[in-house]
Amino acid sequence: MTSPDLLLKAYCTMLLARRLEEKITAIYRAGGIAGGVYVGRGQEALSAALGHSLRRGVDIFAPLIRDQAGRLAFGEDPAEGPRTYLGRATGPMRGRDGNVHRGRPSEGMPAMISHLGTMTSVVCGMLLARRMQGRETGVGATSLGDGATSTGAFHEGLNLAAVEKLPLVMVVANNQYAYSTPTSRQFVCADLVDKAVGYGIQGHTCPGNDLSECLNTIGKAVADARGGGGPQLIVAPFLRLSGHGEHDDAFYVDPALREGPLGRDCVDIAREQVLASGAADEETLATMAGEIADIVATATATAQKDPLPDPYAETWQALKTSCPA
Amino acid sequence: MTSPDLLLKAYCTMLLARRLEEKITAIYRAGGIAGGVYVGRGQEALSAALGHSLRRGVDIFAPLIRDQAGRLAFGEDPAEGPRTYLGRATGPMRGRDGNVHRGRPSEGMPAMISHLGTMTSVVCGMLLARRMQGRETGVGATSLGDGATSTGAFHEGLNLAAVEKLPLVMVVANNQYAYSTPTSRQFVCADLVDKAVGYGIQGHTCPGNDLSECLNTIGKAVADARGGGGPQLIVAPFLRLSGHGEHDDAFYVDPALREGPLGRDCVDIAREQVLASGAADEETLATMAGEIADIVATATATAQKDPLPDPYAETWQALKTSCPA
Amino acid sequence: MSEINYIDAIRKALHDAMADDPGVFLYGQDIGAFGGAFKATKGLYETFPGRVLDCPISEDAMSGLALGAAIEGMRPVIEMQFADFSTVGLNQIINNCATHFYRTGIPAPVVFRLPSGGTPGSGPFHSQSMEALYAHYPGLIVFTPATVADAYSMLREAIAIDDPVIFCEHKLLYRWLKEDSIRGDGLPWHRARVARVGKHATVVTHAAMVHEALRAADQLSEDGWEIEVVDLRCAKPLDRTTILGSLARTGRLLALGEAFPFGGVTAEVVSIAATEGFELLDAPPQRLNSRDTPIPYQPDLWRAHRPTAESIQAALRRLLAF
Amino acid sequence: MSEINYIDAIRKALHDAMADDPGVFLYGQDIGAFGGAFKATKGLYETFPGRVLDCPISEDAMSGLALGAAIEGMRPVIEMQFADFSTVGLNQIINNCATHFYRTGIPAPVVFRLPSGGTPGSGPFHSQSMEALYAHYPGLIVFTPATVADAYSMLREAIAIDDPVIFCEHKLLYRWLKEDSIRGDGLPWHRARVARVGKHATVVTHAAMVHEALRAADQLSEDGWEIEVVDLRCAKPLDRTTILGSLARTGRLLALGEAFPFGGVTAEVVSIAATEGFELLDAPPQRLNSRDTPIPYQPDLWRAHRPTAESIQAALRRLLAF
Ligand SMILES: Cc1ncc(C[n+]2csc(CCOP(=O)(O)OP(=O)(O)O)c2C)c(N)n1
Ligand SMILES: Cc1ncc(C[n+]2csc(CCOP(=O)(O)OP(=O)(O)O)c2C)c(N)n1
Ligand SMILES: [Mg+2]
Ligand SMILES: [Mg+2]
């Protein structure tokens, strides 16, 4: 059973992620962000549970597109998101890359590229390196969507993790759609977790919008990986509660899904669970919501005041090595 | 139960494939073939069973590296192999491609490229096209090795077949090694057929060196695919009885495997099965062996007499379209 | 009369090709009821039932499937959601599709639509111009239309061609570029177009850079410089005749492209000029490409990374001053 | 004294790098006890237990793994079984490894060893020279050693460099090229070498073509022509100084390469000559590449597909006659 304290902590992270992304969306709608905005609405429970199951400084977390909550749980500064979306020189990507492609690889958080599935093998490499160096490897966690399971990169990476028996924790956020594509056009297995046996690894499932279940299941999977149980595949179904990006009104989402159990908002479920656990009462949560609003306001204000990169000062060096011409 | 006639026919094909490849190897060892020679020694039962389960003119067969027997069963002229190895202008590849990369795509036999796994989706495309054209699709069969299951192309192709519910028959020839690499460095699932459930498709297994079993299992899988059962995954374990290529002495093969049941030569097993079935007696088989020797001699002699391509007459056109400069 | 933009022209070309030839079908991510990430296929799913298929996120398999379908007589048009993701299908494209006719004698009429090029905020993985990779490999034709009319006519031609065509459509032009009609000048696909006639220097370029070049030429015309702009249209094979013809008139060449600097189309254009048009040149040919780094996300950085009317103008002034 | 060949030099470089730096490890198909398809790693599995790993047939994952290991401070050396199969890992190489330093500031010291180039009977998928693809993308360094000494020293340098290096080793040279020792001339990796001094024309080339060029130069010397041969060694970045320096001496350029003709290294070399060395040129620069078709299997066709001493000689005679 999940401890009430952990539930509260994770709920708090979820709410911070939700509010932060709402603010980023507002800036986007006001024309302040170029490109797109991609939010984790609906995925906060799963993502926060993953982030809180990891130990910063020991473990690796390779977040994907909808992992704002997991990032915060893993210790990302709330200003990193706004800084990156706003292309600030102070953000981890210094304006060179944007939105969800941020990371601090030397702090255990690699920076994803867009090509789906590709971060799987990168995490494998990090884990393998640590093992070769005789260091404590920690576990290496990453997530991807139902759609990304169709990529060769997912397959090759997961299989390689199994062959090398690496402590990889792979979370599949099955949010029923890949952009507009329903899962029926993505795979036909009864449950994505059925893939685990074909890789010879352990599989787990949990409802992706149920914080308590996510914490339990992921906590166990992480412990198994840490204990030498090899790669762990966690499949968590729920519904994406946003468009693919904030430009997308998601007209294609089946209303039955919205109204069914997968469509329940994880934030609402988590709130009920927190209250039921006794970790906090309505009043405490109200105070907390106020504090979160402050954090969001400060993070975005900070980012907005931060300097932009200076194209005239840019040296355009793709290499660390300097080569005389 | 396999009919005695089919057993005999398939055994005959196996033996022809074996002798033909022995002859090609002899030419290679005498310095008559550039590049390498890759034989199906040990895989003849599986391959012949696949080829004989298909209907030329209706079905598609995309052979891979060790499918000389399946090619013959599907109707390939025995001279095609020698012609292609010898780079003759008369071969299907006209010297432009060699050895096992031959095919006649417009006759239902695509020509493989080297990159493992890639033919899976090509067969899918052929099947999809036929379905869209409202033609009888036939089934589309292809094979690959234990090693090729690690490729992203295999995964993407098989999954796509499942999503499109195509009559793809995928035979995994698990010959225990990918070049020198044992299966333990390739996958860790208990049995490769465990992958089927993760793709939501039917899985089958049979001992790859047992002709009768191969005919039964593949016959059933082909019938299932033909009957609308979607993709079929057949996994057949046995031992490669050659090196990876004829340059390779396969020193790395575990002697225990050679001496165990996987190491039994499928030609010996098939011969016993034919005799036991009553389809032929020793005398008939001796006559048959003589005929096969003649076929092999004729095929290679023909190929050797055939003209080489003329580099001076070559127009070097990679495009069908002619573009004025 | 209503205006038609570049993406409308693409949609219309797909529509008309499907209406004319039952062998044409579309395969790609989110191209069905959703109409595609850029709405290039909007409405086609409804108009042509069963011929516009949403596919899994499997660029390798999509590309292999295209070859298989072509072998059986279809004319698949594959939409890559962004050109950048075609790297995942590149092996099937360059090694399977592109070699097929040479190896087997059976043509592979497949079209890969690659939404290409940079837009503000699209960053390193949604901005690439991949002509260099595909043009390098034998067996592929590479189109890079720069006008609404070409978007239409060249896509029709791409689908009609019996070989694999890489169709690089520029995302920046999708909605920005509008014309009164899709009627073009009937130039065959393998001919470059003199998009602007001049006499002092030639800019040879393609795709979105045609418009930057035209802007630069406008600006320079205020100082009396007459800049000729050649729109390559087809990046491979290159139209040597038109390139050299223009050089014969102007004697000065700027090869301009949005792709990365090493190799690629601009290097090939300069090479053609230098090897075949040496005596036509009154000054060293010049090149202008993007910077040799990944394409930055932040809009100011992005604008400094790619050539613009301003940097083209500067390059032309140097060329004219020689 | 015993002779050492090109593949021995590679093996020794791997050995010495592993002996010197515990961060170096090897990852590839069949490179363990088997010693690799070409025996480049023979014996290393035994000498360095746990540091030479056989991997699954997963070029994408191998390449991604290399980046991850580099992030954690290792120096992975990936063996592609043949250069041609690196297309399957290309996405990870050009989009993940190559962009990493620019995007994150964290360097990615990984080496991809690509057994490259044609040999008789190796055909369209075991013969490719892939410099053009990798050199086009920012963030990669591309080595193409042509000598035994360079095979050794440049591989050592590749492993020491903090950026991703594509190491194109030429299969034709593996056993054919022998020298008395691996001791070279100490040229830094970013410098091209004047492999033969001449005064009438310069051939700029790399990898196996260096030897074809030297043969052609020998043949032409019988007629009194002194041909300079520049061995690029590093295909990206190119050593403009040495190229232009040679042109200053000879005034005539033949850019020679084994890769496909469109774009690539020879186009880049000609472009450098034309844009930066225009006034040095006494004749139009020339290019010679392979044919623009897949690489044929049959040995006579193959020999007619690639440049050879004979076709180089013919190209040089045309250039000298200008
Ligand atoms: C290889 C590749 N192909 C296509 C895309 C374009 N793309 C970006 S997100 C996306 C949908 C992803 O769906 P899923 O994996 O289910 O994740 P979700 O967005 O639902 O969280 C697609 C197709 C991509 N990023 N990478
Ligand atoms: C993508 C790719 N990587 C590497 C190779 C080189 N290669 C050719 S055959 C082979 C081993 C194949 O093993 P398996 O799939 O088990 O088939 P088998 O040879 O045992 O029949 C390898 C690694 C290749 N052809 N394609
Ligand atoms: Mg999804
Ligand atoms: Mg095998």
Side-chain angles (χ1 to χ4, degrees):
Chain A
M1 267 298 302
T2 319
S3 82
D5 278 3
L6 181 55
L7 262 184
L8 178 61
K9 195 162 77 169
Y11 172 63
C12 183
T13 305
M14 289 169 63
L15 211 62
L16 176 55
R18 177 72 60 93
R19 297 288 168 262
L20 186 60
E21 291 194 328
E22 284 167 353
K23 177 72 188 173
I24 290 169
T25 298
I27 299 173
Y28 168 72
R29 295 214 195 284
I33 289 170
V37 167
Y38 305 87
V39 303
R41 196 176 185 94
Q43 193 164 320
E44 290 95 341
L46 181 65
S47 186
L50 181 57
H52 281 299
S53 302
L54 303 173
R55 301 188 202 145
R56 190 170 175 111
V58 176
D59 295 330
I60 294 159
F61 178 42
L64 219 77
I65 169 168
R66 306 193 194 282
D67 273 323
Q68 176 64 66
R71 291 168 176 276
L72 292 168
F74 196 65
E76 187 182 83
D77 180 336
E80 298 276 73
R83 278 185 179 124
T84 308
Y85 272 108
L86 292 165
R88 301 295 143 160
T90 49
M93 312 312 278
R94 298 158 295 156
R96 296 177 175 192
D97 205 343
N99 51 63
V100 293
H101 301 145
R102 63 189 189 272
R104 298 206 175 260
S106 54
E107 297 170 26
M109 193 193 275
M112 66 173 273
I113 64 169
S114 296
H115 300 72
L116 294 167
T118 47
M119 299 311 289
T120 315
S121 57
V122 175
V123 175
C124 290
M126 295 173 78
L127 293 168
L128 186 75
R130 291 172 177 202
R131 180 196 288 167
M132 293 180 95
Q133 290 161 345
R135 289 156 60 194
E136 184 185 0
T137 64
V139 308
T142 186
S143 80
L144 45 66
D146 40 287
T149 64
S150 300
T151 63
F154 165 79
H155 171 72
E156 292 195 2
L158 195 54
N159 184 60
L160 187 145
V163 167
E164 303 290 359
K165 213 171 186 344
L166 296 169
L168 176 78
V169 176
M170 163 67 77
V171 174
V172 178
N174 180 359
N175 64 8
Q176 312 303 314
Y177 287 89
Y179 210 149
S180 75
T181 305
T183 53
S184 60
R185 293 292 299 162
Q186 206 71 242
F187 54 81
V188 296
C189 51
D191 189 322
L192 280 171
V193 81
D194 296 345
K195 291 193 175 294
V197 61
Y199 292 99
I201 64 176
Q202 282 183 45
H204 312 257
T205 49
C206 60
N209 53 359
D210 183 319
L211 176 61
S212 173
E213 294 269 9
C214 287
L215 283 164
N216 279 337
T217 305
I218 296 177
K220 177 175 173 350
V222 167
D224 287 353
R226 212 183 291 290
Q232 309 289 319
L233 179 70
I234 299 148
V235 175
F238 63 98
L239 183 65
R240 195 186 70 205
L241 300 180
S242 62
H244 170 63
E246 291 305 288
H247 60 278
D248 170 21
D249 66 7
F251 69 87
Y252 46 79
V253 170
D254 182 351
L257 282 174
R258 283 198 215 278
E259 283 141 35
L262 292 176
R264 280 201 66 199
D265 188 337
C266 61
V267 169
D268 296 343
I269 298 178
R271 186 185 165 88
E272 286 166 20
Q273 291 176 338
V274 167
L275 291 172
S277 79
D281 56 16
E282 295 278 1
E283 201 179 333
T284 322
L285 292 189
T287 316
M288 194 190 91
E291 286 165 9
I292 283 175
D294 289 347
I295 296 174
V296 169
T298 309
T300 47
T302 308
Q304 279 167 321
K305 267 175 286 174
D306 278 352
L308 287 169
D310 176 358
Y312 301 100
E314 171 70 43
T315 54
W316 306 109
Q317 303 278 358
L319 299 173
K320 180 168 177 228
T321 311
S322 60
C323 341
Chain B
M1 267 300 301
T2 317
S3 83
D5 278 3
L6 181 55
L7 263 183
L8 178 59
K9 195 161 78 169
Y11 172 63
C12 182
T13 306
M14 289 169 61
L15 211 61
L16 176 55
R18 177 72 59 94
R19 297 289 168 261
L20 186 59
E21 291 193 330
E22 284 167 355
K23 178 71 188 172
I24 290 169
T25 299
I27 298 172
Y28 168 73
R29 295 215 195 285
I33 289 170
V37 167
Y38 305 88
V39 302
R41 195 176 186 93
Q43 194 164 320
E44 291 95 340
L46 181 64
S47 186
L50 180 57
H52 282 298
S53 302
L54 302 174
R55 301 189 201 145
R56 189 169 175 112
V58 175
D59 296 330
I60 294 160
F61 178 42
L64 219 78
I65 169 169
R66 306 193 193 282
D67 274 322
Q68 177 64 65
R71 291 169 176 275
L72 293 167
F74 196 64
E76 188 182 83
D77 180 336
E80 298 275 72
R83 279 187 179 123
T84 308
Y85 271 107
L86 292 165
R88 302 293 143 160
T90 49
M93 312 313 278
R94 299 159 293 156
R96 296 175 176 194
D97 205 343
N99 52 60
V100 293
H101 301 145
R102 62 190 188 273
R104 299 206 176 259
S106 53
E107 297 169 26
M109 193 193 275
M112 66 173 275
I113 64 169
S114 297
H115 300 71
L116 294 166
T118 48
M119 299 312 289
T120 315
S121 56
V122 175
V123 176
C124 290
M126 294 174 78
L127 293 168
L128 186 75
R130 291 173 177 202
R131 181 197 287 168
M132 293 180 94
Q133 291 161 344
R135 289 157 59 195
E136 185 185 0
T137 63
V139 307
T142 187
S143 80
L144 45 67
D146 41 287
T149 64
S150 301
T151 63
F154 164 79
H155 171 71
E156 292 195 1
L158 195 55
N159 184 59
L160 187 144
V163 167
E164 303 289 0
K165 213 170 184 349
L166 296 168
L168 177 78
V169 176
M170 163 66 79
V171 174
V172 178
N174 180 359
N175 64 8
Q176 313 304 313
Y177 287 89
Y179 210 149
S180 75
T181 305
T183 53
S184 60
R185 291 294 297 163
Q186 206 72 243
F187 54 82
V188 295
C189 50
D191 189 323
L192 279 171
V193 81
D194 295 345
K195 290 192 176 293
V197 60
Y199 292 100
I201 64 175
Q202 282 184 45
H204 312 257
T205 50
C206 60
N209 52 359
D210 182 319
L211 176 61
S212 173
E213 294 270 9
C214 287
L215 282 165
N216 279 337
T217 306
I218 295 177
K220 178 176 171 354
V222 167
D224 287 353
R226 211 183 290 290
Q232 309 289 319
L233 179 70
I234 299 148
V235 175
F238 64 97
L239 184 65
R240 196 186 69 206
L241 300 180
S242 62
H244 170 63
E246 291 306 287
H247 60 278
D248 169 22
D249 66 7
F251 70 86
Y252 46 80
V253 170
D254 181 352
L257 282 175
R258 284 197 216 277
E259 283 141 35
L262 292 176
R264 280 202 64 200
D265 188 337
C266 60
V267 169
D268 297 341
I269 298 178
R271 186 185 166 86
E272 286 165 22
Q273 290 176 338
V274 167
L275 290 172
S277 78
D281 57 14
E282 294 279 1
E283 200 178 334
T284 322
L285 292 189
T287 315
M288 194 189 89
E291 287 165 8
I292 284 174
D294 289 347
I295 296 172
V296 169
T298 309
T300 46
T302 307
Q304 279 166 321
K305 267 176 285 173
D306 278 352
L308 287 169
D310 177 358
Y312 301 99
E314 170 71 41
T315 54
W316 306 109
Q317 303 278 357
L319 299 173
K320 178 167 180 230
T321 310
S322 61
C323 341
Chain C
M1 232 205 84
S2 81
E3 285 184 322
I4 177 162
N5 63 29
Y6 187 97
I7 190 92
D8 295 333
I10 286 171
R11 188 183 316 110
K12 187 166 161 46
L14 294 172
H15 175 280
D16 294 355
M18 293 181 84
D20 284 2
D21 181 347
V24 178
F25 74 99
L26 314 185
Y27 203 69
Q29 292 149 22
D30 305 296
I31 64 169
F34 188 65
F38 298 100
K39 303 296 167 200
T41 59
K42 194 160 180 226
L44 301 180
Y45 174 80
E46 292 78 15
T47 311
F48 302 103
R51 292 171 62 193
V52 183
L53 287 93
D54 280 328
C55 72
I57 306 178
S58 301
E59 284 80 3
D60 182 275
M62 289 158 64
S63 308
L65 173 137
L67 173 59
I71 289 173
E72 293 293 313
M74 300 293 282
R75 295 194 170 263
V77 180
I78 306 296
E79 175 174 306
M80 296 285 170
Q81 198 153 78
F82 283 80
D84 314 57
F85 303 136
S86 74
T87 45
V88 179
L90 178 131
N91 180 54
Q92 291 277 13
I93 299 172
I94 69 178
N95 281 317
N96 221 345
C97 298
T99 66
H100 201 260
F101 176 71
Y102 181 75
R103 294 168 61 239
T104 69
I106 309 293
V110 300
V111 175
F112 294 97
R113 289 184 41 238
L114 268 52
S116 301
T119 58
S122 55
F125 311 115
H126 289 73
S127 302
Q128 294 174 21
S129 298
M130 300 187 51
E131 297 88 273
L133 265 57
Y134 294 107
H136 183 63
Y137 267 74
L140 299 173
I141 292 173
V142 182
F143 283 2
T144 54
T147 69
V148 172
D150 281 352
Y152 179 81
S153 68
M154 294 184 75
L155 185 48
R156 293 298 306 269
E157 288 171 302
I159 296 171
I161 284 174
D162 280 335
D163 292 295
V165 178
I166 307 295
F167 191 83
C168 306
E169 25 183 270
H170 203 291
K171 300 194 296 291
L172 200 64
L173 306 182
Y174 274 167
R175 287 168 204 288
W176 170 79
L177 200 63
K178 296 191 181 73
E179 285 171 30
D180 281 342
S181 103
I182 52 159
R183 226 163 316 124
D185 50 14
L187 215 54
W189 60 263
H190 48 81
R191 281 281 160 250
R193 171 185 298 116
V194 178
R196 178 189 177 115
V197 179
K199 63 180 180 203
H200 298 120
T202 298
V203 183
V204 175
T205 189
H206 60 286
M209 283 296 138
V210 170
H211 305 282
E212 297 288 339
L214 290 171
R215 265 195 285 272
D218 277 348
Q219 293 159 1
L220 285 169
S221 73
E222 294 171 16
D223 296 343
W225 295 113
E226 297 178 31
I227 306 298
E228 183 146 314
V229 176
V230 173
D231 171 3
L232 288 170
R233 304 174 71 244
C234 174
K236 184 176 183 186
L238 284 170
D239 177 1
R240 311 171 115 72
T241 311
T242 302
I243 297 171
L244 296 171
S246 178
L247 290 186
R249 285 189 291 277
T250 67
R252 281 177 158 77
L253 169 69
L254 174 67
L256 168 68
E258 183 177 332
F260 300 125
F262 191 105
V265 177
T266 60
E268 190 65 28
V269 167
V270 168
S271 286
I272 289 172
T275 59
E276 299 172 38
F278 194 66
E279 66 296 341
L280 305 174
L281 294 168
D282 299 327
Q286 297 299 322
R287 278 170 85 190
L288 188 60
N289 298 291
S290 81
R291 308 275 186 172
D292 198 24
T293 72
I295 301 157
Y297 162 81
Q298 198 275 331
D300 299 336
L301 286 183
W302 173 69
R303 272 181 283 268
H305 184 269
R306 72 197 278 266
T308 55
E310 290 63 44
S311 62
I312 296 164
Q313 216 196 112
L316 281 168
R317 284 192 194 278
R318 280 193 301 275
L319 179 62
L320 292 164
F322 194 90
Chain D
M1 232 204 86
S2 81
E3 285 184 323
I4 177 163
N5 62 29
Y6 187 97
I7 191 92
D8 295 332
I10 287 170
R11 188 183 317 111
K12 185 164 163 48
L14 294 172
H15 175 280
D16 294 356
M18 293 181 84
D20 284 2
D21 181 347
V24 178
F25 74 100
L26 315 185
Y27 203 68
Q29 292 150 22
D30 305 296
I31 64 170
F34 188 64
F38 298 99
K39 303 296 168 201
T41 58
K42 192 156 182 228
L44 301 180
Y45 174 81
E46 293 77 15
T47 312
F48 302 102
R51 291 171 63 194
V52 183
L53 287 93
D54 280 328
C55 72
I57 306 179
S58 302
E59 284 80 3
D60 182 275
M62 290 158 64
S63 307
L65 174 137
L67 172 59
I71 289 172
E72 293 292 314
M74 299 294 281
R75 295 194 169 261
V77 180
I78 305 296
E79 176 174 305
M80 295 286 170
Q81 199 154 77
F82 283 80
D84 315 57
F85 303 136
S86 74
T87 46
V88 179
L90 176 131
N91 181 54
Q92 291 276 15
I93 299 172
I94 67 178
N95 281 318
N96 220 346
C97 297
T99 66
H100 201 259
F101 176 71
Y102 182 75
R103 293 168 62 240
T104 69
I106 309 292
V110 300
V111 175
F112 295 96
R113 289 184 41 238
L114 269 50
S116 301
T119 59
S122 55
F125 311 114
H126 290 74
S127 302
Q128 294 174 23
S129 297
M130 301 188 51
E131 298 88 273
L133 266 56
Y134 295 107
H136 183 63
Y137 267 73
L140 299 172
I141 291 173
V142 182
F143 282 2
T144 54
T147 70
V148 172
D150 281 352
Y152 179 80
S153 68
M154 293 184 77
L155 185 48
R156 293 298 306 269
E157 288 172 302
I159 297 171
I161 284 174
D162 280 334
D163 292 295
V165 178
I166 308 294
F167 192 82
C168 305
E169 24 183 271
H170 203 290
K171 300 194 297 288
L172 200 65
L173 306 182
Y174 273 166
R175 289 171 201 287
W176 169 80
L177 200 65
K178 297 191 179 77
E179 284 170 32
D180 282 343
S181 102
I182 53 158
R183 226 163 316 124
D185 51 14
L187 214 54
W189 60 263
H190 49 80
R191 281 280 160 251
R193 171 185 297 117
V194 178
R196 178 189 177 111
V197 178
K199 61 181 182 202
H200 297 121
T202 299
V203 183
V204 175
T205 188
H206 60 286
M209 283 296 139
V210 170
H211 305 282
E212 296 289 339
L214 290 171
R215 264 194 287 273
D218 276 349
Q219 292 160 2
L220 284 169
S221 73
E222 293 172 17
D223 295 343
W225 296 112
E226 297 177 31
I227 306 297
E228 183 146 314
V229 176
V230 172
D231 171 4
L232 286 170
R233 305 173 73 243
C234 175
K236 183 175 183 187
L238 285 170
D239 177 0
R240 310 171 116 72
T241 312
T242 301
I243 296 170
L244 295 171
S246 178
L247 290 187
R249 286 189 290 278
T250 67
R252 281 179 161 74
L253 169 67
L254 174 66
L256 167 69
E258 183 177 333
F260 300 124
F262 192 105
V265 177
T266 60
E268 191 65 27
V269 167
V270 168
S271 286
I272 290 172
T275 59
E276 299 172 37
F278 193 66
E279 66 296 340
L280 306 174
L281 293 169
D282 299 326
Q286 298 299 325
R287 279 169 85 190
L288 188 60
N289 298 291
S290 81
R291 307 275 186 171
D292 198 23
T293 72
I295 301 157
Y297 162 81
Q298 197 276 331
D300 299 336
L301 286 183
W302 173 70
R303 273 182 282 268
H305 183 268
R306 72 197 279 267
T308 55
E310 290 63 42
S311 61
I312 297 164
Q313 217 197 110
L316 281 168
R317 284 193 193 277
R318 280 193 301 275
L319 179 62
L320 292 163
F322 193 90

